[in-house]
Amino acid sequence: MLRRSLRVIAMMMLTLVLAATGFAGTASAQDKFKLGMAVGGNTCCEWMKAQGDVARALAEKNGWDYVELSNNNDPATALKNAQIFVQEGVNAVIQFNGQPSSNPAIAAVLKAANIPVVAYDIADPGMYFVGIDNLAAGIAGGKQLGELIKAKWDCNPDLVISAEGASAGIVNEWRTGGMRTGLKEVCPDIPDAKWVSFESQGDAAVGLPAARDLLAAHPDAKNMAVVGLNDGGVLSLINAAEQLGRADGVIGWGQDGAFITGDNVNPHLAGSVFYFLEGYAVYAVKDVIGPIAAGTVPALKADAGDPASKVQPCPVSAEQAKSVPDMAARVTQLLAAPAGTTEYELFCPNK
Amino acid sequence: MTDLAAKRDTYVIPHHPLRELLTGSVASIALTFIVVLAVGLIWVGPKFLSFGNISIMGTFLIVPLIVGAFAGFALLSGVVDLSIGSMVGFSSALFATFLTLGWDPWAAAPVTLLACVFFGGINAIAIVGFGAEAIAATLGMLVALRGITWVLLGPQGSIFSFNPGLFTLVNQSVFGLPLFFLLAVVLTLFTSLLVSKSRLGRHIQAVGGDDRAAARAGISVKRVRVVALLLSAFGGGLGGIVFAGQLGSAARATGVGLEFQVYAALMIGGYSILRGGVGNPIGGALGLLAVAGVSNILDLRSISPYYVNIIVGLLLLAAVLLDRFRGGDAYE
């Protein structure tokens, strides 16, 4: 059996070597600017795919070649994609990497090939940061929720629950912590014992068991305010409360606006902060990619506190969100707008 | 047993060259692999077989090849080890933890491997010592190791352990191909030799094929299965260390779902999950290469990677059907 196996392998290797030596040198050189885009690839969120659609459309408008890959929410795949970008000869890369543990390796691979990288929302020292002013977004959302709690419960909820997403690091501290800060500005006398947290990982499905555990640990809590890293995290607590028949007294306020538009908005999600995630490419192209394509490489701004391009947050109540088109319509209108127009300018009802 | 059943069980498939090509343990997957190569060349073009592209596929395959080569021992001996993906995650987390504590990688690696073999030993005690179902026992270990990994990684869910020296070593190229990929190929060939030429390999196959017959032939079934499970855990540990070196970090996502990726490829390559004694490491490696080739074709054609799962599923179904075509148990 082994001899036959080795014969087959040898035959295949010979074919492979002949083909590789015959074909490898025939690739034609490209002279057009080529943009690489690595989308997040997490099945949780439609906006991850839309980020690629907008980047592709902007690349086509600018006459650039475009290569899109999906990180598949997997660190090893994200690294493999970086290597494919090098092979494809891209001139710049945009990535959303929800598994940032591979960022140092990705940065090393792309830096060795002298390819600049834009990172959305999760900062890395070697990448241009394009993202939201997370702290401002957190505080704005917290204040709005505080006003609701003040009006409904006279600033006296049974619990204030934080849906954390610790892997996002400082972004989580800014967003979730910022919401707590904003809420405390309106309701400063909520006792420390009422502030509790659970790890939602920023995903409605993944965070569900931990949310259930938290509710089980506080069986008498009825009026509960929920803040969190993003809409998905906040929804994990709301969904758990619905499963346990305890959602009547739950008011959540999310971040990122991913689940606040459309026909199926959860009634307990009282509001969110729109980032208009799908339209980030407008910022990236305007402030980083466009200048690079024009031959002027901007200074590296990798810090989330001093970003290469800052996305404006747009806090909205669920009622206000009804006036905002759904994502597909927003993308269509964004791409029809003059170059450089942002979704904040087009759609935010609270400018 | 009826006459008909007896006749069916003793039926010998007549020799035919074409059938041999299609039904040989490695030839069938080799054929699949050649089809993938042909599709890649036609659809993607010459770039598909460029050294650069093979290098990218190779880099991505290092860990699955290592893990698959060792997990194959457990399958061959008739026990499936579902904890290999978690073992990779645990190993990478432990190794990364040691690095952040300032340990030298050469000291951290053997200690990490020992820890993995320890957990493999627990699998062995449960399955061989107490007769637990392998699927149930290793499923328990999968969950437990995932929990230990999360504890090691802490609330951040990841550890950054980027070590430039280690990164350079793991990502080194020789003749335009990743050094560790070539080492993984050598390892596969070595394990293939071990399976087919060594006494240990023959014993493992015998135990997996029919443990009672093996025992009657004087083979220590328990000892063979313990060795196979320890080797499987060792492979997971080694894969995790390489992962941490490649990525410069460990994260909760590391190794998640790897067991399905590896076992799907091994089955496509001729192994059986529930029937021991079937398969060859070279077939398993070709299964991994075929799946990686499909994934790469979709990448280079900018097609959603979700389609990979559909294609892998179809290949798996084809492998199962081929298994029946070649006679299933009767073939062995």
Side-chain angles (χ1 to χ4, degrees), chain A residues 137 140-142 144-145 148 179 228-232 234 252-261 265 269-277 313-321 348-350:
Chain A
Q144 299 267 352
L145 181 60
L148 266 178
M179 288 196 81
L229 172 74
N230 56 13
D231 283 5
V234 171
W253 198 289
Q255 289 282 331
D256 78 15
F259 295 109
I260 200 72
T261 55
V265 178
L269 189 62
S272 184
V273 181
F274 270 121
Y275 303 173
F276 302 115
L277 292 151
C314 172
V316 290
S317 67
E319 195 57 36
Q320 290 168 329
C348 183
N350 291 326

Side-chain angles (χ1 to χ4, degrees), chain A residues 1-6 8-9 11-12 15-16 19-21 23-24 26 41-43 56 66-70 72-77 79-81 83-84 87-88 99-105 108-109 166-169 173 199 201 206, chain B residues 20 24-27 30 33-34 37 41 46-47 49-54 56 59-60 150 155-158 160 162 167 171 189 192-193 196-197 205 243 246-254 279-280 282 286 295-296 299-300 302 305-306:
Chain A
M1 182 176 68
L2 182 73
R3 197 173 298 149
R4 195 173 57 200
S5 305
L6 287 174
V8 173
I9 301 297
M11 192 181 74
M12 285 190 321
T15 313
L16 200 107
T21 48
F23 290 130
T26 59
N42 189 333
T43 48
R56 179 190 298 274
Y66 178 80
V67 181
E68 183 177 314
L69 300 169
S70 171
N72 219 11
N73 201 34
D74 173 57
T77 305
L79 177 60
K80 179 187 73 168
N81 289 344
Q83 290 165 332
I84 293 178
Q87 179 191 253
E88 291 291 297
Q99 298 292 336
S101 60
S102 58
N103 272 349
V109 166
S167 63
E173 287 173 35
E199 179 53 51
Q201 297 183 60
V206 178
Chain B
E20 191 69 12
S25 66
V26 172
F33 182 65
I34 288 169
L37 284 183
L41 273 174
K47 189 167 59 181
L49 281 180
S50 68
F51 272 107
N53 197 43
I54 294 170
I56 289 168
T59 304
F60 198 56
W150 281 40
Q156 295 286 340
S158 59
F160 290 92
F162 191 71
F167 183 76
N171 292 290
L189 293 173
S192 183
L193 276 173
S196 53
K197 295 288 181 192
Q205 284 181 307
F243 235 137
Q246 275 186 320
L247 299 174
S249 62
R252 284 177 185 162
T254 307
N280 182 288
I282 290 175
L286 289 176
S295 171
N296 186 255
D299 277 345
L300 295 180
S302 291
Y306 302 142

